[in-house]
Amino acid sequence: MSDVDHLHELLGLPAVDFQHDASDGSRPAAGAAAWRVFVEPYEDERTWEEEFASFLAAVDPAGVRALVIGQWGEAYEEDSSYPIGLVTAAADRLTSLEAVFVGDLTMEEAEISWIQQSDVTALLAAYPALVEFGVRGGSELVFPPTRHERLRSLTIETGGLPVEVVRGVLDSELPALERLDLWLGVSGYGGDVDVADLAPLLSGTRLPALRHLGLRNSEVENEIAAAVASAPLVARLRTLDLSCGTLGDEGAAALLEGQPLTHLEVLDLHHHFLSEQMERRVSDALEPHGVRVDLSERCEPWGDGGPEGRYTTVSE
């Protein structure tokens, strides 16, 4: 499974496809949109480099605040260093850029685990004013420890997240980071993160400004829930997202039996394998305290109904 949509917004701005042949009057102002630059490899003879050059010529680059890197060719053959290199080279022109998303491809364009990524921290180095950064695809993804003073939101969407990426993120110095979303995925597509690898994060000694944590889309969501239940970090979170994975009654029970979660504003558990009885237990424990609990998308396991039949939202 890898049914993901194109981004609808970035930096709170609506995502708009750049069309090189559109009239200037039909385009929004440079800073009023999150601009998605892409090519259609089977329909468009233009390269991503040519499309990006057209974008810089047609839209005032100094006013652009958010950029979405869409399909740059055959994404399972050519890695993201190609568009990333072009965007980093334009740093002296994109002087107002605050948000970048790399790999905004849907299943029809490339399965999420077929998107070939690269060292995406080159963008963080080139744009010290970024406040939002996102990546889709874990294959060949590299994220060495880095320092960035202003980044407030980091999202990494994968069907299988390499543990070295998680270690790189957790060894980075990101003093302003408020939101971290990690799609951990499954081992069959490179997701080799163990709960023990999350210990530096859950201890609360890293990422001092963190207020939202997403550890989602995991085949070990129950184990993650059990670790989160006693994690010091949770006390300073406002929102916690354990959605889209294999969470069952055992994981939900661990959450309820651990530290209080009544300080949270949101607990997102959508796409889960909880029984109706456990759904009620979770709701009754938290919603009277003002916690908004998302228990939508209760799933039925494949096969004989056992835990081995549970599945994540996104894998291949």
Side-chain angles (χ1 to χ4, degrees):
M1 291 185 174
S2 68
D3 190 8
V4 290
D5 296 328
H6 284 307
L7 290 189
H8 299 295
E9 66 173 29
L10 184 65
L11 199 69
L13 301 171
V16 172
D17 289 347
F18 172 73
Q19 304 286 350
H20 66 268
D21 54 357
S23 65
D24 291 345
S26 66
R27 295 191 183 103
W35 293 97
R36 179 172 174 261
V37 180
F38 68 101
V39 293
E40 299 283 1
Y42 297 112
E43 302 175 10
D44 196 341
E45 294 181 357
R46 293 167 62 86
T47 66
W48 200 89
E49 182 174 6
E50 290 171 330
E51 196 70 7
F52 185 57
S54 295
F55 168 71
L56 294 176
V59 178
D60 177 18
V64 173
R65 299 177 58 210
L67 178 66
V68 179
I69 299 176
Q71 191 167 29
W72 54 83
E74 296 292 3
Y76 51 85
E77 294 179 352
E78 188 163 26
D79 68 39
S80 65
S81 64
Y82 165 46
I84 286 174
L86 294 168
V87 175
T88 57
D92 61 339
R93 303 180 66 187
L94 293 165
T95 52
S96 298
L97 197 63
E98 298 178 78
V100 178
F101 189 93
V102 185
D104 184 32
L105 281 73
T106 65
M107 180 174 62
E108 289 74 21
E109 294 168 312
E111 301 279 5
I112 193 170
S113 294
W114 295 5
I115 301 171
Q116 299 297 303
Q117 286 291 351
S118 61
D119 183 350
V120 297
T121 61
L123 286 163
L124 295 176
Y127 292 94
L130 286 188
V131 295
E132 290 190 20
F133 187 56
V135 181
R136 180 174 295 164
S139 181
E140 304 303 322
L141 179 62
V142 178
F143 198 108
T146 189
R147 180 175 181 84
H148 198 283
E149 297 290 343
R150 293 195 60 189
L151 193 68
R152 296 199 301 261
S153 176
L154 174 61
T155 300
I156 302 178
E157 303 177 357
T158 78
L161 185 59
V163 66
E164 289 303 320
V165 172
V166 173
R167 290 171 180 162
V169 170
L170 299 186
D171 286 340
S172 294
E173 295 183 57
L174 304 170
L177 196 72
E178 299 173 0
R179 297 182 59 88
L180 176 63
D181 276 292
L182 301 176
W183 296 22
L184 300 173
V186 303
S187 58
Y189 288 97
D192 56 355
V193 178
D194 187 87
V195 173
D197 298 311
L198 302 172
L201 170 64
L202 298 179
S203 70
T205 59
R206 310 284 175 92
L207 306 177
L210 201 67
R211 296 296 179 266
H212 165 90
L213 176 62
L215 296 173
R216 6 174 21 231
N217 194 56
S218 175
E219 64 183 351
V220 293
E221 206 71 64
N222 285 312
E223 291 87 341
I224 290 172
V228 164
S230 59
L233 171 67
V234 174
R236 58 182 170 89
L237 295 180
R238 297 194 186 104
T239 58
L240 176 63
D241 185 347
L242 303 179
S243 68
C244 297
T246 59
L247 188 73
D249 283 6
E250 54 271 51
L255 284 174
L256 294 179
E257 293 162 6
Q259 63 188 301
L261 300 176
T262 51
H263 66 289
L264 292 175
E265 296 173 7
V266 178
L267 175 63
D268 190 344
L269 304 179
H270 83 272
H271 178 99
H272 62 82
F273 294 84
L274 275 60
S275 64
E276 291 185 30
Q277 180 182 13
M278 183 57 73
E279 282 185 332
R280 287 193 295 271
R281 281 188 59 193
V282 173
S283 298
D284 291 347
L286 298 177
E287 289 181 344
H289 296 276
V291 183
R292 182 161 58 85
V293 183
D294 187 345
L295 289 165
S296 60
E297 298 181 40
R298 179 157 54 92
C299 304
E300 295 295 333
W302 293 325
D304 62 6
E308 64 279 359
R310 297 174 186 173
Y311 47 89
T312 61
T313 298
V314 176
S315 54
E316 183 181 10

